[in-house]
Every structure is written in C-alpha cells, then in structure tokens.
Amino acid sequence: MILQTTFPGHSLWSSCSAHRLHPFLFSKRRRRSSLSYWHFNRLRPRLFAVAASENGVFTSPEIAKTFDFTSEEGIYNWWESQGYFRPNLDRGSDPFVISMPPPNVTGSLHMGHAMFVTLEDIMVRYHRMKGRPTLWLPGTDHAGIATQLVVEKMLASEGIKRVELGRDEFVNRVWEWKEKYGGTITNQIKRLGASCDWNREHFTLDEQLSQAVIEAFVRLHEKGLIYQGSYMVNWSPSLQTAVSDLEVEYHEESGTLYYIKYRVAGGSKSDYLTIATTRPETLFGDVAIAVHPEDDRYSKYINRMAIVPLTYGRHVPIISDKHVDKDFGTGVLKISPGHDHNDYNLARKLGLPILNVMNKDATLNKVAGLYCGLDRFEARKKLWADLEETGLAVKKEPHTLRVPRSQRGGEVIEPLVSKQWFVTMEPLAEKALRAVEKGDLKIIPERFEKIYNHWLSNIKDWCISRQLWWGHRIPVWYIVGKDSEEEYIVARSEDEALRKAQKKYGRDTKIYQDPDVLDTWFSSALWPFSTLGWPDESIEDFKRFYPTTMLETGHDILFFWVARMVMMGIEFTGTVPFKYVYLHGLIRDSQGRKMSKTLGNVIDPLDTIKEYGTDALRFTIALGTAGQDLNLSTERLTSNKAFTNKLWNAGKFVLQNLPSQNDASAWENILSYKFDKVELLDKLPLPECWVISKLHLLIDTVTASYDKFFFGDVGRETYEFFWGDFADWYIEASKAHLYHSSGDSVASVTQAVLLYVFENILKLLHPFMPFVTEELWQALPYRKEALIISPWPLTSLPRKSNSIKKFENLQALTRAIRNARAEYSVEPVKRISASIVANEEVTEYIVKEKEVLALLSRLDLQSIHFTDSPPGNADQSVHLVAGEGLEAYLPLADMIDITAEIQRLSKRLSKMQTEYDGLKARLSSPKFVEKAPEDIVRGVQEKAAETEEKITLTKNRLALLQSTVVVT
C-alpha cells in the first residue's frame, strides 16, 4: 500500500520559519526554528562592530542583542548634524519639494500627526535616495482661536482677564507662551524621524509670512474680491468670534421638541397653527410662518397673518414654500432667519427681513422684551413655563438633535448674522477647477476629484475675519469720525494708510485699525509659496523650489485647506502650488471606532514609540491605503516590532558570517562580485541565483509602487521578500554553503550574496524604518556613506526566471518532507533517509543542492538517493508528490517506531469506531430524528461523517504500517 500526499509547489506553509506574527494575516501557528545538523562555532565579533560604534551613535548587532529604541534620538541628531536633511543641489536639477501641513503651535502629538509625518518622510527619504534635491519644509501654525484660548486659561489661573491687560500686553503674553511652549510639537515630530530641513522652519506669524498675508489681502481687495458685509456665520459666544465650518463639530444629542400655538390673526380660538421647534427662544426673531402649498390642512391660512406668542401681538405673514417638510413635526415651519442657516437663505430668497434676538454672548437682546439679558438656555426654560401658563404650550417630547459645538471649547455654536470680511470665491474656484480638469493637479486617490469638483462648483464666499487679538491684524484702517462701512482704507502698513487718508481727507485726519484678525486658514492658504519667499519671487528658494511637488494631508481638509491653497496659488503665482495631492484617511482603533477621550481608546504615539519603537509604528501606519481609514491595534504593532527584531537578527547573522574586516584578501574577493549582468548570475549556485533574481524583481516592483505612491504595497512586498524568501529560506540555505561547502569559493559567493541582498533590503526599507536600517547599515563594513543618502538600487537588473522555478521545486520538495515529518511526529533532531524520484533535468539541479535539501529537510546526507523510478521499498514508504516530475519516498521505518505506532492507532481506531457507532445509533432512531431540533440533527450528521472519514484514514495508515511489519 502506498500513502500518497500531494503538496502544491506554492504552498503557503513553511515549517522552517521562526515564529512570527504576520502583520496582514495573523496566523497563530507555531513555527519551529531550523536546526543545522552540522556543528559550527559562532564567529567572534568582528572589528567593524567596534568601528560602527566609534562615534558613540551606532551599535552593532554583534554587540547588542536587540535594537535599542533609545538610540533613535541619537541617530536623528547625527543625521541632522551631518546636514542630510538639507537639499543637496549638486545631485540634480529636478527637486522633490513638499510643504509640511503646519500643526498648531499649541498641539501635542497625536496619531494624525504620526500619519502625515510617516507618509511624507517616506516620500522624502525615497526621493533623496533617488538622487533628487529634496526639500521638506516644516513649520507651525499660530492657531488663532486655540492659542488665544490656551493663554486666556493660563491668565485666568492667575486671576487675570484678557480685557484687563489690553490688546498689546495680551499679545506680548501670547508670544512669551509661544517661545516657552511652542516648540513641543516640533520636538515630538522629530521623534518620529521627520527628515525636514529645520533651517527653513517657519511660523505663520513670522515677519516674512505676515507680509505675505498683508500683500494677499491688499491684492484681492484691489481686484474687488474682498468685501465687508453682514451675513450669517458660525458664532462662538464664549470666544466672541466667528469660527470656520471646520471648527464646528456636530454631535447627536438628546434634546426636546417643543410644540407651540401660533394664533391666526382675526380668527377664532380654534384658528391657530402649531409649530414644532427645538429652539423656542428664537421665536422672538420669527419673521414668517411657512407651510407647504399642497398641505390641505393649512391652505386656508396662506397669505393671512399669525401672532407670535409672548410678543404683545406682533404679526408675521403665513406663507407657502415647497421646501417645507410636511411630515416633520406638524408641517408648519417658523422662519427665524437671524438664527438658522436654512431660514436665513430662505429669507434672502423671499425678501424677508432679518431679525436678530441675541447679543454676542448668547444672551437675548432687547428684541426679546422681558427676556432681555437672559442666557439663551435660561430663556428657553422661562419661555416654556410662560407658554404653559398662557395656554400656548401644546406639548414637548424627546427628540434627537444634531448639535453644533465648538471644536475648541465644546460650547454650542450660535448661527448669527454678523458684520464680517469676506472673499468672493467663485472666480478663484473656476481656475482651481480647470487645474484638475487639465491635469495640472492630480489628486490621489482619484475618487476625491469628484468631491473637490463638487465643493468648488457650489462654493460660497469665505468669511475671513475673526474677532480675536492673536493673529494677522486685518490691514484695514478707518477714518475717525467717519462711517466705518463706507470710509476705510486698505494698505500694506499703517504709515501707508495714514498717507492715503491725509491725502484724501486732510492733514489732520486720524485713523484706527480694524480690530479683527484674519482667519488662520487665510495664512495657511498661502503656505506653499509664502514659506519660499513670496511675494518676492526673485528669492532663490522661490525660483528653485516653487511650484512644489507634493501636498500630503488628511482627506477631511480637502476643502478647508487644499482647495484654498490651489486657488490662492493660481491667483498669486499664476501656477498650481503643487503637482500632486495625496490624501490619507483617519487612524481608528482596532474596532474601527474614531479615537476619542470619551471612548478611552486614544493611542498616544509617544507611548507607542517607547513600547514598540518608532520603526514599528511607522511601518504599521504606512501599510494603509490612500484615502482609507486605518484600524490600529496592538497586535499589528507587536507584529511589526517582531519584524524590527527579525531584521536585527538577520543583520547579526550576516555580520557573523562575513570575514574579519582586516582580512583584506577575503574582502577584496567579496567586493569583486557583481550581479548586474545575466552571465554573472549564470555562474551562481541555485539558491544564490534564486534570491538575487527575486531581489531584482522586488526592486522593480517596489520602485514602481513608490513612484505610484502605493506605500502599502511597498511595505507588504518588501516584508514578504525579507521574511518569506530571505530569512526563512535563503539564510537557512546559505548555512549549507557557509558551513559545509567543498571550498572557500562557494562560501565566498554566499557571503557576497548575503551582503548584497541584505544591504538592498535595508535600502528598500529605509524610507519606512529609518532608524533600525541606518543602525544596521552602519554596522556593515566598507560603508562609504550613510544609508539616508545612499543611492537607490538600480532597476531592470538581470533575473533568471528558470532558476526561480527550479528553486521553487526545491522549496516544494522541502515543504512536502517537512509536513510529512510533522504528520508523523518525527523528532526535529532525527535525520531520515529519502529517495528522490525525478527526471534527468530536475535531478541534475537537485543533486547539486543536496546539502541544502538535507539541511532544510533534516535528511541524512549520506542516505539521500536519486532515481528515475520508485525505490524497492516504496510500499513501506510515505510517497510525496512535490510537483510535476518531482517525488520523494520516505521509509516509514526511519521516521517512527512502527510497532508502537500500530498499537497507538489501533486504540485510536477502536475509540473512534465506538463513537461512530453511537452517532449512527442516534441517527437511526426515528424519535431522535423527528423530535430533535433540526440544527442538532444536522450537527450529529456532520459529526458522523467527519468521524467516518477519520476512521477510513486511520485504517489506511494501519494497513500501510502492518504491511511494513510483514515485509520486515
């Protein structure tokens, strides 16, 4: 009897690999380490291990057991001190330039920062190694609202109010705070390995950038694109300023829906309309009541007047509008255009008046009569009590609200009509739309182009003024004693404004500046070119590095920042400010939830670095896909920490198997090997030819993925090659040549290949994992330059597809033998014999690598036989089919104690037969089949079928073993 098992040549199973957590497929299988049966001594630490640590920065794997994360800051400081972060203008004329999205100066590092720093640093390091002059320009944002809020809280702790200090002194205090604490976020970004040119670091309130902001405002005003007017904005009552849409977060919250009677003027007591509102305090600002024109319940009241409750009989018209939702509430809509965005737009369309009932601090004003001075929420309670008392309150019921809250303070934002400065956006948006349409700007992923186009096609004018003290003061001056709405001067400085005013109004004219500051996003919109010297376009940096190459940021600010930079760039420089926009997603927790303090699922990058290392964090983050959110888990981080350790151990193996650095002859021989021509690969042993061919294929694939910004693919492909091909297979195969070769030439080739492949792996991984790769690179001998500036591997290098196929056959044979050993529980240290059956062509190359096969499969080297037909003891052997034209026979007697195994299997068979008989008895019982639940019956049927299959397999194996005993 022959027990035949087929093992496909490309099986994922490889029992030789050291146990690892896979970052993509979290397999729980246990991997066993390969043990060489040839005894060898570890080579003592080489002299270059000492050389690598001479400067006190780097440590060799031969000295340190694992990579020490605490050395990362020292490596970073060394890079910076060597000037590696600055663009090397001698390397080429086509620079790669990227402007860092400026984090708030008040910020503290979070995973969003970690995401953009990682992705941008990957791009920068890759293009630096590709030989392009590379500039990553860093900086921070003055963050008007956030910074003012922080300093106000600090002053409040000292018992000081902002207004008590006055504007100038308060601004001085903010600058003091910035000088003391503003560098925190910068230092944290450095901790992530950001290879920025810190000599060019900017702050949005720097003198030069402030001049750019003023210049932009003046130019836009001169073109008639900036105007002042009263319109509805998002108002922050506590901060006393307008805020942008980005600074408003909507939350689903439990609230109340209030039903109120509005009596119809001139009607009977039964003539009234019931409105449903979540904000009854705004009824003092009602200017109309609207119903749907086809709502039969209210058609008789259209064009009549309604009386607003508690307003001493103020009348408002009852109108019809098709936009009224007949099914919401009662189908009657109160229109309060001073306090609702939709009502505001409707009122402007219909020509209705705008009535504001609130002060800037969200207390009710004199329009509210007796409620004047009450906070909006206090007024709501009192108003409802009074409505109940007067019989105008119908009912109230629970209702889920979408509440707008300030991103900064958490307070409820109030829609409010306020006098502000605006930019007319439509003519700017048209040019930005054409830039994408013509291909001047490419957005990655492409699907976001639709969102970009939709927003720009429906753009609204931009409110750019903020009622703050910290920020860029609006360059507008008013004439003392004149109407500020009509009489104002826009200038680049106060002196210029005064000269203009005195020329127009007389020498005694006095002026004062607009108290407002510009929206922080206004200065950010100029960032790609203001940081390079604009408006002075003669500055060398502007001429050399503008337009920039890439803008990388989160997809959530595509409108608020990216689109505005495109519009401003085209407007002021005549060109798109960058060629590509790469948008990343959010980082979520392992369950896909957004990280928040409320959920307690926030992962701190600095804590993560301490536990797992910067490289593991970066590699984990970079495996995501552009534009898609990434779920971050400790399992992924643990896996990639193991990857870092695996790299370190591989480096240790390579170093320990290279000659001593003072062995000049040996090193001359190793360094003489080149692998850039096909004929050179032809001379290599099969494992060496295979691994170099695979490496050259990887370099092409990975380089193409880098160029397409497919960073997740880069990480996965490089990981699989390093761990799956190099560590699991080639390092293990190399031991046969290193420790059991017939001559020094074979060992020398293997040493050269180990070094060549490993140093190229370090290059491919460096953009992702800069610290551990640089540490390992510095430990390798004869390094002429740092890894960070070493040249990228060449593409289109030779590869031998035939050698790849041959080695895959050897791998398939090895897997088949390993799996058979595992199935029969053969002791790892036990060497067994084997008969390899193959045709002449296959036998020829397998025979040459007999030592490799013996090592990887744990075979007795002297008992491996090659033949073109089954051996005489085939009936007493396990037959393995590794692939077409390649089989193996493993004698059972070599693998197990046959008598003991027969006894074990006989007992097992008896037990399974008893179990099977019991299951069949239950299934043959009509009572069980008819009365038991269907899923229970199905479960017993499946169990019986499974047991029957096991019985058949066990009988077959017993028969094989018993025949072997008979023959023996």
Side-chain angles (χ1 to χ4, degrees), residues 656-867:
Q656 289 178 335
N657 287 283
L658 292 175
S660 173
Q661 192 164 352
N662 57 13
D663 188 344
S665 175
W667 272 103
E668 184 179 356
N669 190 28
I670 287 176
L671 297 176
S672 69
Y673 285 104
K674 305 298 179 185
F675 307 107
D676 56 352
K677 293 183 174 59
V678 175
E679 53 268 27
L680 298 175
L681 267 60
D682 287 334
K683 299 175 183 178
L684 296 176
L686 179 60
E688 281 66 32
C689 187
W690 166 78
V691 76
I692 287 180
S693 296
K694 293 276 283 188
L695 172 68
H696 290 172
L697 285 169
L698 176 73
I699 291 171
D700 287 1
T701 303
V702 161
T703 302
S705 293
Y706 268 117
D707 289 338
K708 295 174 184 176
F709 310 108
F710 293 169
F711 303 122
D713 291 347
V714 171
R716 284 183 284 272
E717 289 157 356
T718 310
Y719 178 100
E720 288 299 338
F721 173 79
F722 166 74
W723 206 317
D725 292 333
F726 183 68
D728 279 359
W729 284 99
Y730 182 67
I731 280 183
E732 295 305 315
S734 72
K735 294 174 183 177
H737 294 165
L738 291 170
Y739 311 136
H740 197 68
S741 63
S742 56
D744 291 340
S745 60
V746 177
S748 179
V749 169
T750 300
Q751 289 170 327
V753 171
L754 277 170
L755 181 61
Y756 175 74
V757 176
F758 188 64
E759 68 183 10
N760 277 288
I761 288 171
L762 295 182
K763 287 184 177 184
L764 298 180
L765 281 174
H766 179 73
F768 281 72
M769 309 175 79
F771 293 108
V772 68
T773 53
E774 185 73 77
E775 185 98 289
L776 289 165
W777 179 268
Q778 294 292 336
L780 297 174
Y782 297 101
R783 301 300 97 185
K784 296 180 180 179
E785 55 193 354
L787 178 58
I788 188 176
I789 57 167
S790 66
W792 189 255
L794 296 175
T795 56
S796 301
L797 291 169
R799 69 291 312 266
K800 298 283 291 181
S801 56
N802 190 39
S803 294
I804 293 175
K805 178 61 179 174
K806 288 177 180 178
F807 194 80
E808 285 175 351
N809 284 340
L810 182 62
Q811 287 176 304
L813 180 59
T814 301
R815 289 192 187 99
I817 296 172
R818 286 174 176 170
N819 289 342
R821 291 177 62 103
E823 187 178 352
Y824 283 90
S825 304
V826 180
E827 289 296 323
V829 295
K830 186 173 183 178
R831 307 299 150 183
I832 63 175
S833 59
S835 293
I836 310 302
V837 180
N839 58 40
E840 184 177 349
E841 179 189 357
V842 175
T843 299
E844 182 180 357
Y845 64 78
I846 297 290
V847 167
K848 289 180 181 179
E849 299 304 330
K850 183 167 68 170
E851 289 84 0
V852 173
L853 176 63
L855 175 63
L856 298 180
S857 305
R858 303 187 189 99
L859 300 178
D860 181 353
L861 185 61
Q862 307 306 321
S863 301
I864 303 177
H865 307 287
F866 293 88
T867 178

Side-chain angles (χ1 to χ4, degrees), residues 122-134:
I122 285 173
M123 298 181 201
V124 167
R125 289 178 184 269
Y126 168 68
H127 287 283
R128 185 184 290 123
M129 295 175 76
K130 289 280 282 186
R132 297 175 67 178
T134 303

Side-chain angles (χ1 to χ4, degrees), residues 53 170 406 425 672 675:
S53 58
F170 175 77
S406 167
M425 300 302 290
S672 69
F675 307 107

Side-chain angles (χ1 to χ4, degrees), residues 546-610:
Y546 188 82
T548 65
T549 312
M550 167 65 70
L551 188 283
E552 192 284 331
T553 190
H555 66 68
D556 53 330
I557 56 174
L558 174 61
F559 326 125
F560 302 105
W561 187 42
V562 178
R564 286 170 178 167
M565 281 189 288
V566 176
M567 289 185 279
M568 294 300 182
I570 295 173
E571 174 65 23
F572 295 122
T573 71
T575 185
V576 178
F578 27 74
K579 299 172 185 174
Y580 301 95
V581 174
Y582 182 100
L583 301 171
H584 66 249
L586 300 175
I587 296 184
R588 299 180 178 274
D589 70 6
S590 59
Q591 300 176 43
R593 300 175 301 176
K594 190 173 181 179
M595 292 186 186
S596 70
K597 293 180 180 178
T598 305
L599 293 173
N601 62 346
V602 176
I603 300 176
D604 187 302
L606 297 178
D607 291 342
T608 304
I609 287 172
K610 289 177 184 177

